[in-house]
Each structure stands twice: as C-alpha cells, then as structure tokens.
C-alpha cells in the first residue's frame, strides 16, 4: 500500500519511509537483547581504534598542535560524546537498523537522507582512502626493514615533494601500495569476504596489543632516559606562527578536527541499541565508556610519540612506525612486530569501510536514488559486484593520487556534518513526535544536542580553506544531482512499498489517506 503523493516541493522532499519498509523484523529484535554495558564498551573500543591513531596523529602534531595534540584528543572526544548520546537516543527510539542514512529517511525525509548519503561517502569512502595511504606508509617501512625498497616516487600523492634520507628532494607521482591494496580488497569483497565475530575479535586484540606494547616500551624508554627527550616538549604548546590553525590554541582546535578521524566508528555502539539488555542504562555507558578508554589510550600514544620524536618530524603517514624506529636498534624486533600489527589492523579497517560504503550505495540504489547498477547482485557470489568494483576504483584512485592531509580533512568535515545532522534530528524528533517511546533520552535536553551541533560545525570551520571550498562544491553538486536524478527516480515517490503490508505507519501523518483526506489507519 502506498501513501498519497505529497503536495508541493517541501512535502515532496520530506517524504519519509516507514520503519516497516526499512526493517520488517522489529518484533524479533526483542529476542536478541544480549549485550551488556561491558560488551558495548568493548564493541566501541574495537570500532574506534584504527586508522586515526596510526595515521593522522603525526600530521596533527607536526603541522598544528605540537605536543599539545593530546589536548586535541580530549576536545575531539567530548564532541564525539555529544553526537554519540544523540545516536543512542535515535537507536532506542526508532526500531530500524542501518546507518544515519536510514535514520534520516525515517525521520526528516528523503532530501535529508540524500544529503546524509553524500556525507557518508566522505565518512566511509574517503576514510578508506586515508587508511590506504597510512597502510602504504607502514608497508613501505616494513619492506624497507627486510631489504625490499619501493621506489620513492611511487609512495606518495601526485606532485608532492618528498625529502629522502640523504637530503635529496623528489616529487612523488603515485602511491602504488595504497592503490593496489584498495583494488585487492575490492576484489575480495566481490567474492564475498565476511568478517566473523572471532576474526573481528582477533583483529581488535592485535590493534590493542600493538598500541599497548608501544605505550609500555616507549614509556619504559622515556622513564629511563627522560632528560634525553624532555626538550621535545619545550614548549608544550608551540607559539602560533600567525597563520590560522598553526600552533597555539587555534592550532589545538585545528588539530582536534584532524584527530577527530581517530574516533570515527564509535557510532557502531549506538546502532547496537536493539541488542542492548537495558538501552536506557547500557547505551550511554557503552558510548561514553569506549570514548573515555580510547581517549586515554590516544593521549598515552601521543605522549610517547611527541616525546620520543620531535613533533616537527611526524608529518608522515606512519608516525607510530617512525617513533618505534627511534626506540633504538635493540628494539628492531618490536618495530617489525608493531608494523605488522598496524598493517593487519589497517587492512581490516579498509575492508570494513569499503564494505560499509558499498552497502550504503546498495541501499540508495534500491531506493531509486542511485542507478540500479549499484544494486546489481552477482549471480554466483551474491554481492553487489559492480557497485563494489566502482567503489574500489574510486577509493584506490583517491588513495593513489591525493594528499593524506586533504583526504583526512575532507573525511572529518563530512563526518562532523553528519554528526551535526544527527544531533539536529534528535531535537527535530523531540519537537515533532514527543509521544514516541524512547528507551534512552539524551540528558540535559536540549543543551547537549545543541552543544553537539555547535561543536561539530565549529570544528568544521577550523579546517583549511581549500577543504571548505571542496566541501561546499561537493554539497552543491550533491543537491543538484538529487533534483536531476534522485528526486525523479525515487521509489518512494512512485508509491512503491511506502508502507509495508499489515503495518501501521510509524508516524500518524504518514498514513494513507482516503479521498476526503482523512488518514486510513488499519487495525
């Protein structure tokens, strides 16, 4: 059954999908509430720890915050906390599964869902490119340790100057390892590689063990030789250069938008709301607990990084590798071990991010907002193979040709905008549908959601101008594409499955109407 076509442009772009259409297994989700608060905390830690701490920390310290990058981690963690609590309320209110795309389509409407889909392309697609560049840095470093040398010109973005160990400066033309790993993982996803719970647990254990070893050994070296390294923290907050975002407190805020990348993934906790034993108590514990634990880990890693190595030398895609090499030749075995662990962890992250991006495109294509080719399933492998190949090529190209700082900033901007919209959605839903049962409510409403919106967009405007210009044109392009294609081809607008059979619309105003305009509510 389909609802009557909306009247006017505003009504059209705010068409919403019913909850039943998105997920027809709402009732069964009540049988799967098995996750307690500690399960959610560990889930969050596993999703959060990844490319950000292994890749972007060095850039943030070297170019913007210096040793005070640890303060940037605190700021970014607080901003994520605001957004995380809003995610938790949505997860406990709407019995749907999926990303912020589904939340937007179910609450604000189709246009908001389209914009969210465009932002998620930055959060997942570009994030995979950033991780691939970091993966390349660690792989090149490890290969060098065992005597295999990758040509320097093939280890960086197009037209990027790179200083070699002998002082020679060359211009890189292409990041071959980053390109190849993305294509290889795309082919694996086409065949149908799924990560089991046990495999995920192993990867999480490797990532945490690698960082723990780095912190413990680095901390031991620092305690034994503190006087030798203390000068690397003088000053702790470098004097600002006069350029916005270069050191001083403006640099700390700028770095917060960079290391924000290190927290991407925490929203996975909120999407487990239907499986939490007690969402009202367990969700905030899981979100805030995992954010606090990861923030502490990140601060400890940044302390070791910036004390062992002068922050000016950390503008590299593999800062942890650079620092562990500085431990000394006697720790060479540990350096190789940490690099192997980082490569394994980053490989998993690329795979998960690309998987997530293909499934978002798949869902949007099923909704008619993208061409049907993105939802074409391979007859043998049962995966969206053309979609996956296209995503793989796009991610590989970005990782191969573009600068990690630009890619990372664009990812952070897209993610911050998405989180800001999530905070806005909570306020919008509280005002329009206060009667909905909520398993969890954001405390101090509307202060915390409002702070989430303000802080997310405040961090956006700390990035450099070229990224903001790119983001502005990207959003404009997305809007134009919606009106040219998405709006015309939407399955929802065609009246297809707007309300599932035997399911009353979640929102009363979405109910089908008779000729007199009265809602038709089935028993």
């Amino acid at each position: 059954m389909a609802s009557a076509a909306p009247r006017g442009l505003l009504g059209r772009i705010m068409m919403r999908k019913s909850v039943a259409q998105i997920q027809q297994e709402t009732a069964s989700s009540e049988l799967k509430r098995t996750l307690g608060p500690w399960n959610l905390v560990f889930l969050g830690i596993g999703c959060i720890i990844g490319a950000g701490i292994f890749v972007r920390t060095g850039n943030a310290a070297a170019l913007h915050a210096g040793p005070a990058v640890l303060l940037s981690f605190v700021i970014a963690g607080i901003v994520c906390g605001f957004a995380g609590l809003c995610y938790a309320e949505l997860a406990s209110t709407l019995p749907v599964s999926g990303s912020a795309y589904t939340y937007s389509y179910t609450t604000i409407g189709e246009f908001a869902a389209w914009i969210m889909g465009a932002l998620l392309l930055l959060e997942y697609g570009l994030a995979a490119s950033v991780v691939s560049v970091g993966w390349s840095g660690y792989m090149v470093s490890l290969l060098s340790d065992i005597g295999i040398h990758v040509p320097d010109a093939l280890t960086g973005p197009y037209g990027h100057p790179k200083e070699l160990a002998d002082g020679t400066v060359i211009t890189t033309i292409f990041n071959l390892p980053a390109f190849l790993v993305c294509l290889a993982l795309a082919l694996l996803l086409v065949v149908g590689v799924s990560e089991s719970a046990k495999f995920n647990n192993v990867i999480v254990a490797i990532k945490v063990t690698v960082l723990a070893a780095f912190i413990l050994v680095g901390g031991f070296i620092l305690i034994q030789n503190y006087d030798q390294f203390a000068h690397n923290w003088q000053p702790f907050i470098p004097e600002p250069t006069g350029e916005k975002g270069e050191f001083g407190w403006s640099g700390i805020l700028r770095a917060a938008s960079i290391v924000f990348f290190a927290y991407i993934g925490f929203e996975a906790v909120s999407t487990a709301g239907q499986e939490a034993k007690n969402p009202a108590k367990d969700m905030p514990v899981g979100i805030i607990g995992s954010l606090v634990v990861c923030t502490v880990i990140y601060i400890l890693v940044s302390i070791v990084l910036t004390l062992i190595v002068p922050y000016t030398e950390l503008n590299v895609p593999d800062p942890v590798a650079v620092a562990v090499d500085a431990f000394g030749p006697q720790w060479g075995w540990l350096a190789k071990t940490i690099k192997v662990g980082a490569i394994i962890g980053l490989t998993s992250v690329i795979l998960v991010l690309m998987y997530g991006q293909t499934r978002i495109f798949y869902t949007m294509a099923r909704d008619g907002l993208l061409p049907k080719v993105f939802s074409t399933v391979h007859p043998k492998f049962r995966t969206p193979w053309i979609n996956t190949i296209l995503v793989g090529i796009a991610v590989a190209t970005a990782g191969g040709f573009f600068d990690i700082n630009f890619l990372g900033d664009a990812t952070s901007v897209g993610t911050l905008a998405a989180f800001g919209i999530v905070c806005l959605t909570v306020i919008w839903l509280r005002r329009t549908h206060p009667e909905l049962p909520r398993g969890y409510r954001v405390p101090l409403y509307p202060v915390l959601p409002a702070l989430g919106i303000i802080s997310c967009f405040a961090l956006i405007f700390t990035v450099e101008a070229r990224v903001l210009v790119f983001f502005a044109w990207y959003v404009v392009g997305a809007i134009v594409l919606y009106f040219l294609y998405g709006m015309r081809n939407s399955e929802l607008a065609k009246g297809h499955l707007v309300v599932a059979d035997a399911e009353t619309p979640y929102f009363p105003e979405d109910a089908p109407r008779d000729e007199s305009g009265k809602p038709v509510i089935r028993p």
Side-chain angles (χ1 to χ4, degrees), residues 7-28:
R7 296 180 180 179
L9 177 62
L10 183 62
R12 169 63 189 83
I13 66 176
M14 293 187 69
M15 287 187 70
R16 293 192 296 268
K17 296 175 71 174
S18 71
V19 171
Q21 182 176 344
I22 297 174
Q23 184 180 36
Q24 299 189 26
E25 299 177 354
T26 300
S28 65

Side-chain angles (χ1 to χ4, degrees), residues 23-105:
Q23 184 180 36
Q24 299 189 26
E25 299 177 354
T26 300
S28 65
S29 68
E30 295 298 323
L31 303 177
K32 302 176 183 178
R33 294 192 179 275
T34 59
L35 299 180
W38 286 109
N39 299 114
L40 295 171
V41 169
F42 290 128
L43 172 64
I45 294 172
C47 294
I48 294 170
I49 292 180
I53 190 62
F54 285 113
V55 178
R56 300 229 68 205
T57 308
N59 308 133
L63 301 178
H64 301 286
V69 69
L70 63 89
L71 299 179
S72 302
F73 276 115
V74 174
I75 294 171
I78 292 172
V79 174
C80 285
F82 294 146
L85 293 176
C86 291
Y87 263 107
E89 176 164 328
L90 289 179
S92 69
T93 305
L94 300 175
V96 300
S97 62
S99 65
Y101 168 79
T102 59
Y103 289 143
S104 299
Y105 218 150

Side-chain angles (χ1 to χ4, degrees), residues 264-490:
I264 291 176
F266 80 87
E267 66 265 39
V269 181
S270 64
T271 61
Q274 294 303 307
E275 299 173 79
K277 293 180 180 178
N278 187 345
K281 291 184 178 180
D282 297 346
M283 293 304 292
V285 171
I287 291 172
I288 300 301
S290 59
L291 285 173
V292 169
V293 170
C294 289
T295 300
V296 171
I297 292 174
Y298 290 170
I299 288 174
L300 293 176
V301 169
S302 63
I303 289 173
V304 175
L305 271 178
T306 53
L307 273 173
I308 290 286
V309 180
Y311 68 86
T312 54
E313 300 177 12
L314 290 174
N315 186 25
V316 292
D318 55 339
V320 175
V322 171
V324 76
D325 284 338
F327 285 179
Q330 69 273 29
W331 294 102
W333 63 272
L334 178 64
K336 293 183 179 65
T337 302
I338 288 180
K339 292 172 188 177
V340 170
I343 289 169
I344 293 173
L346 294 179
T347 302
S348 173
V349 173
I350 299 172
L351 191 72
V352 171
L353 289 172
M354 289 178 62
Y355 174 88
Q357 183 60 68
T358 60
R359 270 46 184 184
I360 291 170
F361 277 172
Y362 176 81
T363 302
M364 294 180 72
R366 290 283 300 272
D367 291 338
L369 300 182
L370 289 178
K372 291 299 182 185
V373 68
F374 284 94
S375 60
T376 301
V377 176
H378 193 282
K380 178 181 178 181
F381 301 127
R382 309 306 299 168
T383 58
W385 66 287
I386 299 177
N387 173 355
T388 304
I389 291 174
L390 293 175
V391 168
I393 292 173
V395 170
T397 301
F401 286 100
F402 290 96
D403 173 46
I404 188 174
N405 294 320
F406 176 81
L407 292 173
D409 284 349
T411 300
S412 292
V413 167
T415 306
L416 284 164
F419 288 179
I421 293 175
V422 167
C423 295
L424 177 63
T425 299
V426 167
I427 295 177
W428 182 90
L429 201 59
R430 285 275 194 110
R431 292 182 64 85
T432 57
H433 295 88
E435 78 287 352
L436 293 179
R438 290 167 169 82
Y440 169 75
R441 289 175 175 265
V442 176
L444 301 179
Y445 174 87
V447 176
L448 290 190
L451 287 175
I453 297 171
I454 294 171
S455 58
C456 283
F457 284 94
L459 284 185
I460 286 177
F461 288 102
T462 65
V463 305
E464 59 182 315
R466 64 168 181 157
V467 179
L468 290 178
V469 170
F470 162 79
F471 182 68
W473 281 111
Y474 178 81
V475 173
V476 169
I479 293 172
V480 171
L481 191 59
Y482 170 74
F483 286 105
L484 290 180
Y485 184 89
M487 186 176 184
R488 297 171 180 268
N489 294 277
S490 166

Side-chain angles (χ1 to χ4, degrees), residues 205-250:
I206 290 174
K207 291 190 292 188
V208 174
T209 301
V210 163
L211 290 179
F214 177 76
I215 293 168
L216 292 175
V217 175
F220 172 78
I221 292 173
L222 288 172
I223 292 173
Q224 295 293 318
N225 307 277
Y226 181 74
D227 292 339
Q228 177 184 343
F229 297 104
H231 67 277
N232 287 332
W233 266 26
Q234 298 173 359
F236 179 70
I237 302 178
E239 290 294 323
T241 62
E243 293 291 331
K244 181 182 177 182
E246 288 188 4
F247 307 112
W249 278 101
S250 68

